[in-house]
Amino acid sequence: MKHEIRDQARLARRVPGPAPFRQQFSSTRRGARLARLLAVQQLVDWGWGRDSEYLDAAELVVGELAANAVTHGRVPERDFLLTMAVTSAPEDGSGALRIKVDDSRGERLPTPVPTPCPDGEHGRGLVLVEALALRWGVAPRFPSGKTVWAELPGPTPQ
């Protein structure tokens, strides 16, 4: 009986807090900007501090993934989808933020540029995502397209 109670308490701590955030955006620069702004507001609504390094990292990653969806994953008349979900670690209550961006171009897979041009304006986005994320990757999306995702550490609850 003692074992069952301990397992139930452990399961209760694993239940994620807020419901995931899901929103479609137009595959335009304006849509990418709106995705970044709404993601920040959602994280603040979930209790993330406005001036925290966690929020800054999440804003940058959402911005980069949304910009890549608009630049490299765009199909005319098709939107991209942003999803964010927070999960809790049972040990200390800290969490991770999983960010996913779905676009319609499954044949154009993201690859970080090993050494971006020092004077260039492009090629640093995935390098930044790689530096900030615990892990990131890409998966095919049925029936067409891809999902680019990243997991970031979240703030420890007070």
Side-chain angles (χ1 to χ4, degrees):
M1 188 64 134
K2 187 175 183 181
H3 186 267
E4 289 178 19
I5 294 170
R6 189 171 12 150
D7 285 348
Q8 287 175 354
R10 193 171 171 179
L11 285 174
R13 286 193 308 247
R14 282 190 187 180
V15 174
F21 171 83
R22 290 175 52 93
Q23 181 69 49
Q24 282 189 280
F25 297 94
S26 64
S27 289
T28 62
R29 289 185 349 193
R30 177 180 255 171
R33 180 176 182 272
L34 184 58
R36 180 179 53 81
L37 293 171
L38 288 180
V40 167
Q41 186 57 53
Q42 182 62 58
L43 292 171
V44 168
D45 291 349
W46 284 344
W48 291 39
R50 273 218 186 262
D51 295 324
S52 74
E53 64 187 60
Y54 299 104
L55 185 68
D56 292 344
E59 179 179 12
L60 195 143
V61 169
V62 168
E64 291 299 335
L65 296 183
N68 283 351
V70 167
T71 304
H72 306 292
R74 184 175 188 279
V75 171
E77 308 297 320
R78 298 266 177 102
D79 296 339
F80 72 91
L81 175 67
L82 169 66
T83 306
M84 296 189 311
V86 176
T87 59
S88 300
E91 300 82 34
D92 61 3
S94 67
L97 173 66
R98 186 163 178 100
I99 301 166
K100 298 189 315 183
V101 174
D102 299 337
D103 67 46
S104 299
R105 297 283 303 268
E107 76 280 4
R108 296 196 68 185
L109 300 178
T111 54
V113 177
T115 52
C117 176
D119 298 331
E121 294 182 11
H122 304 284
R124 292 179 182 79
L126 288 177
V127 174
L128 290 172
V129 170
E130 196 165 67
L132 294 170
L134 299 169
R135 60 190 145 272
W136 75 277
V138 61
R141 189 183 61 144
F142 182 80
S144 66
K146 67 182 172 297
T147 300
V148 182
W149 58 269
E151 275 187 17
L152 282 73
T156 305
Q158 304 301 320

Coordinates of all heavy atoms in Angstrom, one line a residue, residues 53-142:
E53 N 15.9 35.6 -17.9 CA 16.7 35.0 -19.0 C 15.9 33.9 -19.7 O 16.1 33.6 -20.9 CB 18.0 34.5 -18.5 CG 17.9 33.3 -17.5 CD 19.2 32.9 -16.9 OE1 19.8 33.8 -16.2 OE2 19.6 31.7 -17.1
Y54 N 15.0 33.2 -19.0 CA 14.2 32.1 -19.6 C 13.3 32.7 -20.6 O 13.1 32.1 -21.7 CB 13.4 31.4 -18.5 CG 14.3 30.7 -17.4 CD1 14.5 31.3 -16.2 CD2 15.0 29.6 -17.7 CE1 15.3 30.7 -15.2 CE2 15.8 29.0 -16.8 CZ 16.0 29.5 -15.5 OH 16.8 28.9 -14.6
L55 N 12.6 33.8 -20.3 CA 11.7 34.4 -21.2 C 12.4 35.0 -22.4 O 12.0 34.8 -23.6 CB 10.9 35.5 -20.5 CG 9.8 36.2 -21.4 CD1 8.7 35.2 -21.7 CD2 9.3 37.4 -20.7
D56 N 13.6 35.6 -22.2 CA 14.4 36.1 -23.3 C 14.8 35.0 -24.3 O 14.7 35.1 -25.5 CB 15.7 36.8 -22.8 CG 15.3 38.1 -22.1 OD1 14.2 38.6 -22.2 OD2 16.2 38.6 -21.3
A57 N 15.2 33.8 -23.7 CA 15.6 32.7 -24.5 C 14.4 32.1 -25.3 O 14.6 31.8 -26.5 CB 16.3 31.6 -23.7
A58 N 13.3 32.0 -24.7 CA 12.1 31.5 -25.3 C 11.7 32.4 -26.4 O 11.3 32.0 -27.5 CB 11.0 31.3 -24.3
E59 N 11.7 33.7 -26.2 CA 11.3 34.7 -27.2 C 12.3 34.6 -28.4 O 11.8 34.6 -29.6 CB 11.4 36.1 -26.6 CG 11.1 37.2 -27.6 CD 11.2 38.6 -27.1 OE1 11.7 38.8 -26.0 OE2 10.7 39.5 -27.8
L60 N 13.5 34.4 -28.2 CA 14.5 34.3 -29.3 C 14.2 33.1 -30.1 O 14.2 33.1 -31.3 CB 15.9 34.4 -28.8 CG 17.0 34.6 -29.8 CD1 18.1 35.5 -29.3 CD2 17.5 33.3 -30.4
V61 N 14.0 31.9 -29.4 CA 13.8 30.7 -30.1 C 12.5 30.7 -30.9 O 12.5 30.3 -32.1 CB 13.9 29.5 -29.1 CG1 13.4 28.2 -29.8 CG2 15.3 29.3 -28.6
V62 N 11.4 31.2 -30.3 CA 10.2 31.3 -31.1 C 10.4 32.2 -32.3 O 9.9 31.8 -33.4 CB 9.0 31.8 -30.2 CG1 7.8 32.2 -31.0 CG2 8.6 30.8 -29.1
G63 N 11.0 33.3 -32.1 CA 11.3 34.2 -33.2 C 12.0 33.6 -34.3 O 11.7 33.7 -35.5
E64 N 13.1 32.8 -34.0 CA 13.9 32.2 -35.0 C 13.1 31.1 -35.7 O 13.2 31.0 -37.0 CB 15.2 31.6 -34.4 CG 16.2 32.7 -33.9 CD 16.7 33.6 -35.1 OE1 16.6 33.2 -36.2 OE2 17.0 34.7 -34.8
L65 N 12.4 30.2 -35.0 CA 11.7 29.1 -35.6 C 10.5 29.7 -36.5 O 10.3 29.2 -37.6 CB 11.2 28.2 -34.6 CG 12.2 27.4 -33.8 CD1 11.5 26.4 -32.8 CD2 13.2 26.7 -34.7
A66 N 9.9 30.7 -36.0 CA 8.8 31.3 -36.8 C 9.4 32.0 -38.1 O 8.8 31.9 -39.2 CB 8.0 32.4 -36.0
A67 N 10.5 32.7 -37.9 CA 11.1 33.3 -39.1 C 11.6 32.3 -40.1 O 11.4 32.5 -41.3 CB 12.3 34.2 -38.6
N68 N 12.1 31.2 -39.6 CA 12.5 30.1 -40.6 C 11.3 29.5 -41.3 O 11.3 29.2 -42.4 CB 13.3 29.0 -39.8 CG 14.7 29.4 -39.5 OD1 15.2 30.4 -40.0 ND2 15.4 28.6 -38.7
A69 N 10.2 29.3 -40.5 CA 8.9 28.8 -41.2 C 8.5 29.7 -42.3 O 8.0 29.3 -43.3 CB 7.8 28.6 -40.1
V70 N 8.6 31.0 -42.0 CA 8.1 32.0 -43.0 C 9.1 32.1 -44.2 O 8.7 32.2 -45.4 CB 8.0 33.4 -42.3 CG1 7.8 34.5 -43.3 CG2 6.8 33.4 -41.4
T71 N 10.4 32.0 -43.9 CA 11.4 32.2 -44.9 C 11.6 30.9 -45.8 O 11.7 30.9 -47.0 CB 12.7 32.6 -44.3 OG1 12.5 33.8 -43.5 CG2 13.8 32.8 -45.4
H72 N 11.7 29.8 -45.1 CA 12.1 28.5 -45.7 C 11.0 27.5 -45.8 O 11.1 26.6 -46.6 CB 13.3 27.9 -45.0 CG 14.4 28.8 -44.8 ND1 15.2 29.2 -45.9 CD2 15.0 29.3 -43.7 CE1 16.2 30.0 -45.4 NE2 16.0 30.1 -44.1
G73 N 9.9 27.7 -45.1 CA 8.8 26.7 -45.1 C 7.5 27.2 -45.7 O 6.5 26.6 -45.6
R74 N 7.6 28.3 -46.3 CA 6.4 29.0 -46.8 C 5.8 28.3 -48.0 O 6.6 28.1 -49.0 CB 6.7 30.5 -47.1 CG 5.5 31.2 -47.5 CD 5.8 32.7 -47.6 NE 4.6 33.5 -47.9 CZ 4.0 33.6 -49.0 NH1 4.5 33.0 -50.1 NH2 3.0 34.4 -49.1
V75 N 4.5 28.1 -48.0 CA 3.8 27.7 -49.2 C 2.6 28.7 -49.3 O 2.0 29.0 -48.3 CB 3.2 26.3 -49.1 CG1 2.3 26.0 -50.2 CG2 4.4 25.3 -49.0
P76 N 2.5 29.4 -50.5 CA 1.4 30.4 -50.6 C 0.0 29.8 -50.1 O -0.3 28.7 -50.3 CB 1.4 30.7 -52.1 CG 2.7 30.4 -52.6 CD 3.2 29.2 -51.7
E77 N -0.7 30.7 -49.4 CA -2.0 30.4 -48.9 C -2.0 29.3 -47.7 O -3.0 28.8 -47.4 CB -3.0 29.9 -50.0 CG -3.0 30.8 -51.2 CD -3.6 32.1 -50.8 OE1 -4.6 32.2 -50.1 OE2 -3.1 33.1 -51.4
R78 N -0.8 29.0 -47.2 CA -0.7 28.1 -46.0 C -0.1 28.8 -44.8 O 0.8 29.6 -45.0 CB 0.1 26.9 -46.4 CG -0.3 26.0 -47.5 CD -1.2 24.9 -47.0 NE -1.7 24.1 -48.0 CZ -1.2 22.9 -48.4 NH1 -0.1 22.4 -47.8 NH2 -1.8 22.2 -49.4
D79 N -0.7 28.6 -43.7 CA -0.2 29.2 -42.4 C 0.8 28.3 -41.8 O 1.0 27.1 -42.2 CB -1.4 29.3 -41.5 CG -2.4 30.3 -41.9 OD1 -2.1 31.1 -42.8 OD2 -3.6 30.3 -41.5
F80 N 1.5 28.8 -40.8 CA 2.3 27.9 -39.9 C 1.6 27.9 -38.5 O 0.8 28.8 -38.2 CB 3.8 28.4 -39.9 CG 4.0 29.7 -39.1 CD1 4.3 29.6 -37.7 CD2 4.0 30.9 -39.7 CE1 4.6 30.8 -37.0 CE2 4.2 32.1 -39.0 CZ 4.5 32.0 -37.7
L81 N 1.9 26.8 -37.8 CA 1.3 26.6 -36.5 C 2.4 26.7 -35.4 O 3.4 26.0 -35.5 CB 0.6 25.2 -36.4 CG 0.1 24.8 -35.1 CD1 -1.1 25.6 -34.7 CD2 -0.4 23.3 -35.2
L82 N 2.2 27.4 -34.4 CA 3.1 27.5 -33.2 C 2.4 26.8 -32.0 O 1.2 27.1 -31.8 CB 3.3 29.0 -32.8 CG 4.0 29.2 -31.5 CD1 5.4 28.6 -31.4 CD2 4.0 30.7 -31.1
T83 N 3.1 25.9 -31.4 CA 2.6 25.2 -30.2 C 3.6 25.3 -29.1 O 4.8 25.1 -29.4 CB 2.3 23.7 -30.5 OG1 1.4 23.6 -31.6 CG2 1.7 23.0 -29.3
M84 N 3.2 25.7 -27.9 CA 4.1 25.7 -26.7 C 3.4 24.9 -25.6 O 2.2 25.1 -25.4 CB 4.3 27.1 -26.3 CG 5.0 28.0 -27.3 SD 5.5 29.6 -26.6 CE 4.0 30.2 -25.8
A85 N 4.2 24.1 -24.9 CA 3.7 23.4 -23.8 C 4.8 23.4 -22.7 O 6.0 23.2 -23.0 CB 3.4 22.0 -24.2
V86 N 4.4 23.5 -21.5 CA 5.3 23.4 -20.3 C 5.1 22.1 -19.6 O 4.0 21.7 -19.4 CB 5.0 24.6 -19.3 CG1 5.9 24.5 -18.1 CG2 5.2 25.9 -20.0
T87 N 6.2 21.4 -19.3 CA 6.2 20.2 -18.6 C 6.9 20.4 -17.3 O 7.9 21.2 -17.2 CB 6.8 19.0 -19.4 OG1 8.2 19.4 -19.7 CG2 6.0 18.8 -20.7
S88 N 6.6 19.7 -16.2 CA 7.2 19.8 -14.9 C 8.1 18.6 -14.7 O 7.7 17.5 -15.0 CB 6.2 19.9 -13.8 OG 5.4 21.0 -14.0
A89 N 9.2 18.8 -14.0 CA 10.0 17.7 -13.6 C 9.6 17.3 -12.2 O 9.5 18.2 -11.3 CB 11.5 18.1 -13.6
P90 N 9.4 16.1 -11.9 CA 8.9 15.7 -10.6 C 9.9 15.9 -9.5 O 9.5 16.1 -8.3 CB 8.5 14.2 -10.7 CG 9.3 13.7 -11.9 CD 9.5 14.9 -12.8
E91 N 11.2 15.9 -9.8 CA 12.2 16.0 -8.7 C 12.2 17.3 -8.0 O 12.1 17.4 -6.8 CB 13.6 15.7 -9.3 CG 13.7 14.4 -9.9 CD 13.2 14.3 -11.4 OE1 13.3 15.4 -12.1 OE2 12.7 13.3 -11.8
D92 N 12.2 18.4 -8.8 CA 12.4 19.7 -8.2 C 11.3 20.7 -8.6 O 11.4 21.9 -8.2 CB 13.8 20.3 -8.4 CG 14.0 20.5 -9.9 OD1 13.1 20.2 -10.7 OD2 15.1 20.9 -10.3
G93 N 10.4 20.3 -9.4 CA 9.3 21.2 -9.9 C 9.7 22.1 -11.0 O 8.9 22.9 -11.5
S94 N 11.0 22.0 -11.4 CA 11.4 22.9 -12.5 C 10.8 22.3 -13.8 O 10.3 21.2 -13.8 CB 12.9 22.9 -12.7 OG 13.4 21.6 -13.0
G95 N 10.8 23.0 -14.8 CA 10.1 22.5 -16.0 C 10.9 22.8 -17.3 O 11.9 23.4 -17.3
A96 N 10.3 22.3 -18.4 CA 10.9 22.6 -19.7 C 9.8 23.1 -20.6 O 8.6 22.8 -20.4 CB 11.5 21.3 -20.3
L97 N 10.1 24.0 -21.5 CA 9.2 24.5 -22.4 C 9.5 23.9 -23.8 O 10.6 23.9 -24.3 CB 9.4 26.0 -22.6 CG 8.6 26.7 -23.7 CD1 7.1 26.7 -23.4 CD2 9.1 28.2 -23.8
R98 N 8.5 23.2 -24.3 CA 8.6 22.6 -25.7 C 7.9 23.5 -26.7 O 6.7 23.8 -26.5 CB 8.0 21.2 -25.7 CG 8.2 20.5 -27.0 CD 8.0 19.0 -26.8 NE 8.2 18.3 -28.1 CZ 9.3 17.6 -28.4 NH1 10.3 17.6 -27.6 NH2 9.4 17.0 -29.5
I99 N 8.7 24.0 -27.6 CA 8.2 24.9 -28.7 C 8.2 24.1 -30.0 O 9.2 23.5 -30.3 CB 9.1 26.1 -28.8 CG1 9.2 26.9 -27.5 CG2 8.7 27.0 -30.0 CD1 10.3 27.9 -27.5
K100 N 7.1 24.1 -30.7 CA 7.0 23.5 -32.0 C 6.4 24.4 -33.0 O 5.5 25.1 -32.7 CB 6.1 22.2 -31.9 CG 6.5 21.2 -31.0 CD 5.8 19.9 -31.0 CE 4.3 20.0 -31.1 NZ 3.6 18.8 -31.1
V101 N 7.0 24.4 -34.2 CA 6.5 25.2 -35.3 C 6.3 24.3 -36.5 O 7.3 23.6 -36.9 CB 7.5 26.4 -35.7 CG1 7.0 27.1 -36.9 CG2 7.6 27.3 -34.5
D102 N 5.1 24.2 -37.0 CA 4.8 23.3 -38.1 C 4.7 24.2 -39.4 O 4.0 25.2 -39.3 CB 3.4 22.6 -37.9 CG 3.4 21.7 -36.7 OD1 4.5 21.3 -36.3 OD2 2.3 21.5 -36.2
D103 N 5.3 23.8 -40.4 CA 5.1 24.5 -41.7 C 4.8 23.5 -42.8 O 4.8 22.3 -42.6 CB 6.3 25.4 -42.0 CG 7.6 24.6 -42.3 OD1 7.6 23.6 -43.1 OD2 8.7 25.0 -41.8
S104 N 4.6 23.9 -44.0 CA 4.1 23.1 -45.1 C 5.2 22.6 -46.0 O 4.9 21.9 -47.0 CB 3.1 23.9 -45.9 OG 2.0 24.2 -45.1
R105 N 6.5 22.9 -45.8 CA 7.6 22.4 -46.7 C 8.4 21.4 -46.1 O 9.5 21.6 -45.5 CB 8.5 23.6 -47.0 CG 7.8 24.8 -47.8 CD 7.6 24.5 -49.2 NE 8.7 24.2 -50.0 CZ 9.5 25.1 -50.7 NH1 9.2 26.4 -50.6 NH2 10.5 24.7 -51.4
G106 N 8.0 20.1 -46.2 CA 8.7 19.0 -45.6 C 10.0 18.7 -46.3 O 10.9 18.0 -45.7
E107 N 10.2 19.1 -47.5 CA 11.4 18.8 -48.3 C 12.5 19.7 -47.9 O 13.7 19.5 -48.2 CB 11.1 18.8 -49.8 CG 11.0 20.2 -50.4 CD 9.7 20.9 -50.2 OE1 8.8 20.3 -49.5 OE2 9.5 22.0 -50.8
R108 N 12.2 20.8 -47.2 CA 13.3 21.8 -46.9 C 13.6 21.7 -45.4 O 13.0 22.3 -44.6 CB 12.8 23.2 -47.2 CG 12.7 23.4 -48.7 CD 12.6 24.8 -49.1 NE 13.9 25.4 -48.9 CZ 14.1 26.7 -49.2 NH1 13.1 27.5 -49.6 NH2 15.2 27.3 -49.0
L109 N 14.6 20.8 -45.1 CA 14.9 20.5 -43.7 C 15.9 21.6 -43.2 O 16.8 21.9 -43.9 CB 15.5 19.1 -43.5 CG 14.5 18.0 -44.0 CD1 15.2 16.7 -43.8 CD2 13.2 18.0 -43.2
P110 N 15.8 22.0 -41.9 CA 16.7 22.9 -41.4 C 18.1 22.3 -41.1 O 18.1 21.2 -40.6 CB 16.0 23.4 -40.1 CG 15.2 22.2 -39.7 CD 14.7 21.6 -41.0
T111 N 19.1 23.0 -41.4 CA 20.5 22.6 -41.0 C 21.2 23.8 -40.6 O 21.3 24.9 -41.3 CB 21.2 22.0 -42.2 OG1 21.1 22.9 -43.3 CG2 20.6 20.6 -42.6
P112 N 21.8 23.8 -39.4 CA 22.6 24.9 -39.0 C 23.8 25.1 -39.9 O 24.5 24.2 -40.3 CB 23.0 24.6 -37.5 CG 22.4 23.3 -37.2 CD 21.8 22.7 -38.4
V113 N 24.2 26.4 -40.1 CA 25.4 26.7 -40.9 C 26.5 26.6 -39.9 O 26.5 27.3 -38.9 CB 25.2 28.1 -41.5 CG1 26.5 28.5 -42.2 CG2 24.0 28.2 -42.4
P114 N 27.5 25.8 -40.2 CA 28.6 25.6 -39.3 C 29.4 26.9 -39.0 O 29.7 27.1 -37.8 CB 29.6 24.6 -40.0 CG 28.9 24.2 -41.2 CD 27.7 25.0 -41.4
T115 N 29.7 27.7 -40.0 CA 30.3 29.0 -39.7 C 29.7 30.0 -40.6 O 30.0 30.2 -41.8 CB 31.8 28.9 -40.1 OG1 32.0 28.4 -41.4 CG2 32.6 28.0 -39.1
P116 N 28.7 30.7 -40.0 CA 28.0 31.8 -40.8 C 29.0 32.9 -41.2 O 30.0 33.1 -40.5 CB 26.9 32.3 -39.8 CG 27.1 31.6 -38.5 CD 28.2 30.6 -38.6
C117 N 28.7 33.5 -42.2 CA 29.5 34.6 -42.7 C 29.5 35.8 -41.7 O 28.4 36.1 -41.2 CB 29.0 35.1 -44.0 SG 29.8 36.6 -44.7
P118 N 30.7 36.3 -41.3 CA 30.7 37.3 -40.2 C 29.9 38.5 -40.5 O 29.4 39.2 -39.7 CB 32.2 37.6 -40.0 CG 32.9 36.6 -40.8 CD 32.0 35.9 -41.7
D119 N 29.9 38.9 -41.8 CA 29.2 40.1 -42.2 C 27.8 39.8 -42.7 O 27.0 40.8 -43.0 CB 30.0 40.8 -43.3 CG 31.3 41.2 -42.8 OD1 31.5 41.5 -41.6 OD2 32.3 41.3 -43.7
G120 N 27.4 38.6 -42.8 CA 26.1 38.2 -43.4 C 24.9 38.5 -42.4 O 25.1 38.5 -41.2
E121 N 23.8 38.6 -43.0 CA 22.6 38.8 -42.2 C 21.8 37.6 -41.9 O 20.9 37.6 -41.1 CB 21.6 39.8 -42.9 CG 22.2 41.2 -43.0 CD 21.2 42.1 -43.7 OE1 20.0 41.8 -43.9 OE2 21.6 43.2 -44.1
H122 N 22.2 36.5 -42.5 CA 21.5 35.2 -42.3 C 22.5 34.1 -41.9 O 23.7 34.2 -41.9 CB 20.8 34.8 -43.6 CG 19.9 35.8 -44.2 ND1 18.7 36.1 -43.6 CD2 20.1 36.7 -45.2 CE1 18.1 37.1 -44.3 NE2 18.9 37.5 -45.2
G123 N 21.9 33.0 -41.4 CA 22.7 31.8 -41.1 C 23.0 31.6 -39.6 O 23.6 30.6 -39.2
R124 N 22.5 32.5 -38.7 CA 22.8 32.3 -37.3 C 21.6 31.8 -36.5 O 21.8 31.5 -35.3 CB 23.2 33.7 -36.7 CG 24.5 34.2 -37.3 CD 24.9 35.5 -36.7 NE 26.1 36.0 -37.2 CZ 26.3 36.5 -38.4 NH1 25.2 36.7 -39.2 NH2 27.4 37.0 -38.8
G125 N 20.4 31.8 -37.0 CA 19.2 31.4 -36.3 C 19.3 30.0 -35.6 O 19.1 29.9 -34.4
L126 N 19.6 29.0 -36.4 CA 19.7 27.7 -35.8 C 20.9 27.5 -34.9 O 20.8 26.7 -33.9 CB 19.6 26.6 -36.9 CG 18.3 26.4 -37.5 CD1 18.3 25.4 -38.6 CD2 17.2 26.1 -36.5
V127 N 21.9 28.2 -35.1 CA 23.1 28.2 -34.2 C 22.7 28.7 -32.8 O 23.0 28.2 -31.8 CB 24.3 29.0 -34.8 CG1 25.4 29.1 -33.8 CG2 24.8 28.4 -36.1
L128 N 21.9 29.8 -32.8 CA 21.3 30.4 -31.6 C 20.4 29.4 -30.9 O 20.4 29.2 -29.7 CB 20.6 31.7 -31.8 CG 21.5 32.9 -32.2 CD1 20.7 34.0 -32.7 CD2 22.4 33.2 -31.1
V129 N 19.5 28.8 -31.7 CA 18.5 27.8 -31.1 C 19.3 26.7 -30.5 O 19.0 26.2 -29.4 CB 17.6 27.3 -32.2 CG1 16.8 26.1 -31.7 CG2 16.7 28.4 -32.7
E130 N 20.3 26.2 -31.2 CA 21.2 25.1 -30.7 C 21.9 25.5 -29.4 O 22.0 24.7 -28.4 CB 22.2 24.7 -31.7 CG 22.8 23.3 -31.5 CD 23.5 22.8 -32.7 OE1 24.5 23.5 -33.1 OE2 23.1 21.9 -33.3
A131 N 22.3 26.7 -29.3 CA 23.0 27.2 -28.1 C 22.0 27.3 -26.9 O 22.4 27.1 -25.7 CB 23.7 28.5 -28.3
L132 N 20.8 27.7 -27.1 CA 19.9 28.0 -26.0 C 19.0 26.8 -25.6 O 18.6 26.7 -24.5 CB 18.9 29.1 -26.5 CG 19.6 30.5 -26.7 CD1 18.6 31.5 -27.3 CD2 20.1 31.0 -25.3
A133 N 18.8 25.9 -26.5 CA 17.9 24.8 -26.3 C 18.6 23.6 -25.6 O 19.8 23.4 -25.8 CB 17.3 24.3 -27.6
L134 N 17.9 22.9 -24.8 CA 18.4 21.6 -24.2 C 18.6 20.6 -25.3 O 19.5 19.9 -25.4 CB 17.4 21.0 -23.2 CG 17.1 21.9 -22.0 CD1 15.9 21.4 -21.2 CD2 18.3 22.0 -21.1
R135 N 17.6 20.6 -26.3 CA 17.7 19.8 -27.5 C 16.7 20.4 -28.5 O 15.8 21.1 -28.1 CB 17.4 18.3 -27.2 CG 16.1 18.1 -26.6 CD 16.0 16.6 -26.1 NE 15.2 16.6 -24.9 CZ 15.6 16.7 -23.7 NH1 16.8 16.9 -23.4 NH2 14.8 16.6 -22.6
W136 N 16.9 20.1 -29.8 CA 16.0 20.5 -30.8 C 16.1 19.5 -31.9 O 17.0 18.7 -32.0 CB 16.4 21.9 -31.3 CG 17.6 22.0 -32.2 CD1 18.9 22.1 -31.8 CD2 17.6 22.0 -33.6 NE1 19.7 22.1 -32.9 CE2 18.9 22.1 -34.0 CE3 16.6 21.9 -34.6 CZ2 19.3 22.1 -35.3 CZ3 17.0 21.9 -35.9 CH2 18.3 22.0 -36.3
G137 N 15.1 19.6 -32.8 CA 15.1 18.6 -33.9 C 14.0 18.9 -34.9 O 13.3 19.9 -34.8
V138 N 13.8 18.0 -35.8 CA 12.8 18.2 -36.9 C 12.1 16.8 -37.1 O 12.8 15.8 -37.0 CB 13.4 18.7 -38.2 CG1 14.5 17.8 -38.8 CG2 12.4 19.1 -39.2
A139 N 10.9 16.9 -37.4 CA 10.1 15.6 -37.6 C 9.2 15.9 -38.8 O 8.6 17.0 -39.0 CB 9.3 15.2 -36.4
P140 N 8.9 14.8 -39.6 CA 7.9 15.0 -40.7 C 6.5 15.2 -40.1 O 6.2 14.7 -39.0 CB 8.0 13.7 -41.5 CG 8.8 12.7 -40.6 CD 9.5 13.5 -39.6
R141 N 5.7 15.9 -40.8 CA 4.3 16.1 -40.4 C 3.4 15.6 -41.5 O 3.5 15.9 -42.7 CB 4.1 17.6 -40.2 CG 2.7 17.9 -39.6 CD 2.6 19.4 -39.5 NE 2.6 19.9 -40.9 CZ 1.8 20.9 -41.3 NH1 1.0 21.5 -40.4 NH2 1.9 21.3 -42.5
F142 N 2.4 14.7 -41.1 CA 1.5 14.1 -42.0 C 0.4 15.1 -42.3 O -0.1 15.8 -41.4 CB 0.9 12.9 -41.4 CG 0.0 12.2 -42.3 CD1 0.4 11.3 -43.2 CD2 -1.4 12.3 -42.1 CE1 -0.5 10.7 -44.1 CE2 -2.3 11.7 -43.0 CZ -1.8 10.9 -43.9

